[in-house]
Amino acid sequence: QVQLVESGGGWKQAGGSLRLSCAASGRTASNYVMGWFRQAPGKEREFVVGINRNGIITYYADSVKGRFTISRDSDKNTVYLEMKNLKPEDTAVYYCAASTGIAVKLTNGLVDYWGQGTQVTVSS
């Protein structure tokens, strides 16, 4: 199995940028489809973006398309989420996710491993 640890969350004003990191340990992250989900207060956890094992195929939720970029570094066993032009509605706990399946458009049910989450707060 794999353990996932997120970092990089914090507070930003609208329009700012943040980069989240997800460090994998145990099994190498390249064995998994990786992704990010988020959960805002009072809402269900939602899919943000997924990336396939070789980093070529990605799928973004419409709400973040053009603003967020996912990437993975196999040497560092780490997945990144670059977030630009942040909006208050991006405020949420962001979770790193790993799936043993092949689908890049992840759902909660397809995720085999979760990180503990990192808080992102965007003020207007």
Side-chain angles (χ1 to χ4, degrees), residues 12 33 66 92:
K12 283 289 182 180
V33 169

Side-chain angles (χ1 to χ4, degrees), residues 49-122:
V49 60
I51 187 168
N52 75 332
R53 287 170 174 78
N54 62 15
I56 292 178
I57 300 173
T58 58
Y59 190 96
Y60 292 87
D62 288 343
S63 58
V64 305
K65 201 174 295 183
R67 300 188 299 119
F68 290 12
T69 303
I70 190 171
S71 61
R72 62 193 307 165
D73 185 331
S74 58
D75 291 337
K76 295 182 178 179
N77 216 20
T78 300
V79 177
Y80 302 99
L81 182 64
E82 189 77 37
M83 305 185 294
K84 296 182 179 180
N85 190 22
L86 285 163
K87 303 177 180 181
E89 51 263 43
D90 294 320
T91 295
V93 177
Y94 282 72
Y95 295 91
C96 182
S99 170
T100 57
I102 61 173
V104 177
K105 184 182 178 183
L106 295 171
T107 64
N108 285 282
L110 291 176
V111 174
D112 295 287
Y113 302 100
W114 294 98
Q116 83 287 350
T118 185
Q119 177 71 47
V120 172
T121 303
V122 184

Side-chain angles (χ1 to χ4, degrees), residues 33-53:
V33 169
M34 300 294 295
W36 291 90
F37 286 69
R38 66 186 182 186
Q39 187 168 20
K43 295 187 177 181
E44 293 185 352
R45 189 176 301 187
E46 65 174 5
F47 170 77
V48 176
V49 60
I51 187 168
N52 75 332
R53 287 170 174 78

